[in-house]
Amino acid sequence: MTSAAGGAPPAIELIGINKSFGPVHANKNVNLRVERGVIHGIVGENGAGKSTLMSILYGFYEADSGEIRVNGRPVRIRSSREAIDCGIGMVHQHFMLVPPLSVLENVMLGAEGGPLLARGASAIRMRLAELGKEYGLEVDPEAIVGELSVGLQQRVEILKALVRGAEILVLDEPTAVLTPAEADQLFEMLRVLKSQNKTIIFITHKLREIVTLTDRVSVMRRGEMVATFDTALTSPPELADAMVGRKVILKIDKGAAHPGRVVLEAKDLVVRDDRDVVRVDGVSFTLREGEILGVAGVAGNGQSELLEALAGIRPLSAGEILIDGKPIPFANRNPHDERLIGVGHVPEDRHRVGLVMPFEACESAMLGFQYEPVYGKGLLYDRKAIIADADKKMEAFDVRPRAPLLKTANFSGGNQQKLVLAREIERNPKIMLVGQPTRGVDIGAIEFIHKRIVAQRDAGKALLLVSVELDEIFALSDRIIVLCGGRITGERRPEETNAQDLGLLMAGVSERAA
């Protein structure tokens, strides 16, 4: 651990910051020093207090006690407007953009009364062009934001902050919604911003990103700032241990697979999206007992539609799905009937598909199985049985807090994901369809989830794993198929390939060329 360098005052200094929400002490006497012209990472498990601390810096919340200094000067920040006046900009994980409006209109929103806006739209258009050229942030000012890729929408958020004069940029989990290629582009832009003496605060739970990008990194745990390191002098295992407060095993302990009979077969599947565009185009594969088949690819290449079709959520336009050698009749292609024949599904988007956020945890823990006798008969639910069942699942899967009556929305992302896994795994399916199992999940929960997935394989279950995280695909899969443009461009075994080889297949390079 190192001490901060002396000299010029830091860009940001937080001193003794405390913030409570009722009985929850979200930030406990937090001290943070961020030097000018650096990329400073902040890591911690979900619920560690990172976002609360940055929300205080950006004026969404006001600290109960403590002091904020910007460039050595004490300031009081009670609103985002005051944060912007202090030269602080924030790029949120869930973008604050209006999709039907143009890039130019989105940048102008909220800047009313500012000197740049007073000179008119042409002045902002000119400023956008200047910033685009200077920082590699080019984007068409007339483009409709809702029609842009996620990476370009994030670029618009950064431009909004820079147009308002931000010298300090806070990015909250900025790669959570990006493809690997988009994340690489973001990192290059941030390095250019740093070279122009901008200060970047980078919040993430991905240790590889911290090591790749940052100059310094601070670790939060349970509301407290527990350590600060020079990135070059630390390592992912040391950071993981500091985040969790115990030794974390980053390497997955996975023995050899012992595949059995084929339990799922996909034949020439064609699947269309909601706009009737073909997203899965003639895909065929088999899945065996006791193996994990990974599906790799850049997001948007048909993985989501394939998973939904296999789970009975999305109809097939052509092709056939066989379970235990028997075709699933069209009438039985729905999630409820597929569960009855032993297909479990952990969806890619737990908020949209896997959970009902206003429901109590005990209600979310029985979704899809609510008609089973264990929960009562007909419309007469046995509430005690529902609560007891959820409590048992929460204990088995270390869901924290172990509170079946707490609203689903009040759990961290990692604990929400554990709740979904508990619901699906505890029903003992023979086939598990698992989408993005650790998206938005902290390091401690990732370790737990990976162990559970491998345990299912070792128990003889067949698992199909979809993930945009190549490290996860390599670590968990026994076989890997790669999708590009809705077609399988290759199949590999993890021990016989590497990231470069899979990257070529993900880019659509043929088997022979690869």
Side-chain angles (χ1 to χ4, degrees):
M1 201 179 306
T2 61
S3 59
I12 292 291
E13 196 167 10
L14 303 178
I15 304 166
I17 298 293
N18 282 281
K19 182 65 180 176
S20 294
F21 300 94
V24 179
H25 202 167
N27 288 154
K28 304 174 188 175
N29 196 37
V30 174
N31 296 303
L32 174 67
R33 181 184 174 105
V34 179
E35 303 297 336
R36 273 190 251 180
V38 304
I39 301 177
H40 193 119
I42 300 179
V43 296
E45 293 190 281
N46 294 124
K50 309 182 299 294
S51 294
T52 298
L53 189 67
M54 291 302 103
S55 294
I56 289 169
L57 179 61
Y58 196 61
F60 283 154
Y61 304 136
E62 192 169 2
D64 299 332
S65 62
E67 184 179 28
I68 300 173
R69 293 180 184 175
V70 178
N71 296 320
R73 181 172 58 90
V75 296
R76 187 177 180 189
I77 301 176
R78 293 160 295 184
S79 68
S80 56
R81 172 79 67 182
E82 290 183 350
I84 291 165
D85 290 343
C86 291
I88 301 168
M90 188 162 182
V91 179
H92 303 270
Q93 182 177 345
H94 303 289
F95 304 146
M96 304 293 186
L97 298 170
V98 182
L101 299 185
S102 70
V103 169
L104 181 65
E105 290 164 334
N106 268 280
V107 171
M108 292 167 70
L109 277 176
E112 295 85 352
L116 199 62
L117 190 62
R119 300 205 303 271
S122 60
I124 290 187
R125 190 180 283 107
M126 192 179 301
R127 182 63 179 143
L128 285 173
E130 291 170 357
L131 291 168
K133 192 172 183 181
E134 187 173 1
Y135 299 118
L137 289 163
E138 292 90 350
V139 63
D140 179 4
E142 308 306 326
I144 301 302
V145 161
E147 297 173 2
L148 297 177
S149 69
V150 175
L152 285 176
Q153 288 184 32
Q154 189 177 69
R155 192 175 292 189
V156 175
E157 284 278 35
I158 295 172
L159 284 167
K160 272 176 60 179
L162 294 175
V163 162
R164 287 159 173 75
E167 292 294 322
I168 300 157
L169 271 178
V170 180
L171 292 96
D172 188 4
E173 297 284 0
T175 63
V177 292
L178 300 184
T179 66
E182 288 171 333
D184 289 341
Q185 289 176 349
L186 172 67
F187 293 168
E188 284 306 309
M189 288 185 283
L190 295 180
R191 291 186 183 105
V192 173
L193 287 165
K194 173 192 162 183
S195 73
Q196 300 292 324
N197 210 36
K198 303 291 186 188
T199 302
I200 314 291
I201 300 177
F202 187 87
I203 303 171
T204 184
H205 63 269
K206 298 179 181 179
L207 299 182
R208 183 168 49 86
E209 293 179 354
I210 286 291
V211 171
T212 300
L213 184 67
T214 67
D215 303 297
R216 306 195 84 218
V217 53
S218 296
V219 182
M220 293 192 73
R221 185 171 73 241
R222 296 180 183 176
E224 299 181 271
M225 193 67 73
V226 296
T228 295
F229 303 92
D230 283 339
T231 306
L233 302 179
T234 187
S235 65
E238 184 176 28
L239 290 172
D241 294 352
M243 286 166 63
V244 180
R246 61 173 173 82
K247 192 73 178 171
V248 177
I249 308 300
L250 294 177
K251 192 175 186 307
I252 297 170
D253 185 15
K254 180 165 74 80
H258 302 286
R261 63 190 179 89
V262 172
V263 289
L264 184 150
E265 185 174 4
K267 291 185 175 180
D268 303 317
L269 301 187
V270 177
V271 186
R272 298 176 181 271
D273 66 13
D274 295 335
R275 295 176 296 174
D276 206 35
V277 175
V278 172
R279 303 308 301 270
V280 177
D281 191 5
V283 165
S284 300
F285 62 87
T286 58
L287 177 63
R288 297 177 177 273
E289 292 175 333
E291 75 166 351
I292 299 171
L293 175 63
V295 181
V298 175
N301 278 270
Q303 304 99 306
S304 299
E305 290 78 12
L306 174 62
L307 202 63
E308 290 176 353
L310 293 171
I313 295 172
R314 188 174 291 276
L316 294 176
S317 296
E320 192 174 41
I321 297 171
L322 295 87
I323 304 290
D324 289 331
K326 299 174 185 176
I328 302 178
F330 183 81
N332 296 103
R333 292 212 64 256
N334 63 73
H336 176 68
D337 286 345
E338 290 209 8
R339 278 187 162 90
L340 295 178
I341 57 174
V343 179
H345 178 214
V346 176
E348 289 187 296
D349 188 339
R350 58 181 171 268
H351 289 176
R352 186 175 65 87
V353 182
L355 299 163
V356 179
M357 304 310 283
F359 277 13
E360 293 171 346
C362 60
E363 295 168 327
S364 282
M366 69 173 188
L367 287 175
F369 304 99
Q370 63 267 26
Y371 299 117
E372 293 196 358
V374 66
Y375 300 124
K377 294 182 179 179
L379 296 175
L380 300 175
Y381 284 111
D382 183 342
R383 186 157 172 80
K384 284 186 178 178
I386 291 169
I387 294 169
D389 178 71
D391 185 69
K392 183 180 175 184
K393 289 187 175 86
M394 295 173 94
E395 181 183 20
F397 281 75
D398 193 29
V399 177
R400 303 178 194 175
R402 189 174 153 191
L405 300 182
L406 188 65
K407 299 293 186 189
T408 305
N410 292 338
F411 289 85
S412 70
N415 285 297
Q416 289 171 1
Q417 189 74 338
K418 287 181 186 178
L419 199 61
V420 175
L421 280 163
R423 183 182 69 211
E424 300 301 316
I425 289 175
E426 289 293 288
R427 292 297 160 181
N428 197 30
K430 60 188 171 189
I431 299 167
M432 281 284 291
L433 309 172
V434 184
Q436 314 298 347
T438 58
R439 175 178 279 168
V441 171
D442 60 63
I443 194 77
I446 288 172
E447 179 192 32
F448 182 93
I449 289 167
H450 283 173
K451 283 181 179 178
R452 285 292 178 149
I453 289 172
V454 172
Q456 285 294 293
R457 181 206 71 166
D458 293 344
K461 313 297 183 186
L463 294 98
L464 183 89
L465 169 72
V466 171
S467 177
V468 295
E469 300 287 349
L470 267 186
D471 290 347
E472 188 163 65
I473 288 288
F474 272 109
L476 292 174
S477 304
D478 301 304
R479 285 190 295 130
I480 301 169
I481 56 175
V482 183
L483 281 186
C484 178
R487 296 183 178 182
I488 294 178
T489 53
E491 180 177 327
R492 297 285 191 270
R493 293 194 175 277
E495 65 274 14
E496 297 170 355
T497 186
N498 54 42
Q500 184 180 14
D501 178 32
L502 288 190
L504 288 169
L505 296 174
M506 289 163 69
V509 178
S510 69
E511 282 268 12
R512 184 173 299 172

